[in-house]
Amino acid sequence: MSGPVFRAGPVTVRPPATTANIGPGYDALGAALTWYDEVELAVADTGLTVELDGEGAADLPRDEGHLLVRAARAAFDRLGGQPPGLRLRCVNTIPQARGLGSSSAAVVGGIVAARALVEGGDELLDDEAALALAAEIEGHPDNVAPCLLGGVTIAWADDVTGRARAARMEPAAGVHPVICVPALRGYTAASRGLLPADVPHAEAAANAGRAALLVRALTAAPELLLPATRDWLHQNYRRPSMPQSLDLVDALRAEGIPAVVSGAGPTVLAFSAMPGTEGVEAIATKVAGSDTFAVTALDVSTAGAAVIQR
């Protein structure tokens, strides 16, 4: 059987930052944000060249160990075979190890770029298969789903196959994310290690109700975001690893501003009633000091990891 037909490229992909959990939607709900990395991938005659700029450029590997290269290699295997060589250039702007899906952006960026370099790649590895592969590599689907599909997503594992699945939804016009990014890094594995194996039934039931309400709030009724983002399952358990972040969440919520930990943290995600950072920025400065959190107003990105040059 002949292998895939490769385009010379380069192809350029812009994977978005993402936020997961959004309070009670633990390991299920996520949203894409208008903050992007840029990935350029091309077929070369031989070998591997990796060029890195921006976030993490001094620390990330420039060989087969780079997460994006590993994801692209896995995608090429699913597409029928490896190219003779690869040339990769990454411009990273998404803050790393902050709960904004930087690793998911690398995984999805690598898969989508590899798919775009193969003739008929969209049919050989459709979005459903790409999502399943991305979740295999990342370990959970809540960030890779919105990164691939855009908008607001609900992710789950198929009861029979165990493969990741996702449903995509359009965000309501009044959903205005504001992110508060601390200088401190956080790591998902360490954060997960703080979670108990069991939670009280009453808390689980309350959390399920708020997660259902959160779907309504994000897609049709943003005025419900404050009660809809109340969480019992994970945030308080993680407080020892990010006390300033949880203090900011508490302070924002006390002022009527919906706020949660973004993913595994330590970034705080808030929702403003109007576009912009006013109110959120003032409280972040009051709680933690002007240099602790960088506050940025974003939108929900309705497009996932898009090929912008082929």
Side-chain angles (χ1 to χ4, degrees):
M1 182 181 294
S2 61
V5 177
F6 297 106
R7 299 184 176 99
V11 298
T12 303
V13 177
R14 295 178 72 216
T18 51
T19 184
N21 302 329
I22 316 180
Y26 180 66
D27 274 4
L29 278 167
L33 301 172
T34 52
W35 192 332
Y36 306 91
D37 283 348
E38 187 168 291
V39 174
E40 183 182 277
L41 190 65
V43 173
D45 292 334
T46 187
L48 171 68
T49 303
V50 178
E51 299 178 19
L52 305 176
D53 291 305
E55 283 278 325
D59 305 316
L60 295 171
R62 287 171 164 77
D63 55 21
E64 296 285 348
H66 192 290
L67 181 57
L68 197 148
V69 176
R70 287 160 42 204
R73 294 292 193 196
F76 283 127
D77 283 342
R78 301 288 173 95
L79 290 161
Q82 298 291 326
L86 282 175
R87 186 177 71 253
L88 169 67
R89 181 171 181 265
C90 301
V91 180
N92 298 329
T93 69
I94 300 170
Q96 298 190 349
R98 302 297 203 288
L100 289 169
S102 59
S103 63
S104 290
V107 170
V108 172
I111 291 171
V112 172
R115 183 171 69 176
L117 282 173
V118 173
E119 293 286 349
D122 289 345
E123 290 74 39
L124 293 168
L125 189 72
D126 63 14
D127 280 350
E128 184 175 328
L131 173 66
L133 176 58
E136 286 176 27
I137 298 168
E138 178 73 349
H140 43 89
D142 49 344
N143 281 103
V144 294
C147 188
L148 177 67
L149 303 175
V152 177
T153 58
I154 307 172
W156 72 97
D158 186 274
D159 289 341
V160 176
T161 65
R163 282 164 56 105
R165 301 288 305 277
R168 183 193 179 281
M169 302 170 291
E170 286 292 327
V175 174
H176 303 295
V178 177
I179 58 167
C180 308
V181 184
L184 176 71
R185 289 189 170 198
Y187 295 94
T188 300
S191 181
R192 281 182 179 269
L194 296 172
L195 302 181
D198 302 294
V199 297
H201 186 278
E203 292 183 2
N207 212 81
R210 298 302 175 96
L213 182 62
L214 182 56
V215 173
R216 172 73 177 173
L218 289 169
T219 59
E223 68 275 10
L224 296 174
L225 278 167
L226 183 60
T229 49
R230 174 72 191 278
D231 161 72
W232 284 265
L233 279 186
H234 65 104
Q235 292 187 145
N236 274 332
Y237 294 112
R238 288 169 158 163
R239 188 178 292 272
S241 68
M242 54 186 109
Q244 282 191 315
S245 296
L246 269 299
D247 286 349
L248 179 55
V249 168
D250 292 344
L252 289 166
R253 295 186 68 84
E255 293 296 325
I257 298 172
V260 297
V261 171
S262 179
T267 291
V268 171
L269 168 70
F271 292 97
S272 176
M274 299 291 290
T277 64
E278 188 177 353
V280 176
E281 197 166 31
I283 294 172
T285 300
K286 182 179 178 180
V287 169
S290 59
D291 298 328
T292 303
F293 289 94
V295 181
T296 304
L298 301 173
D299 288 312
V300 177
S301 177
T302 56
V307 179
I308 60 173
Q309 176 184 327
R310 191 194 298 260

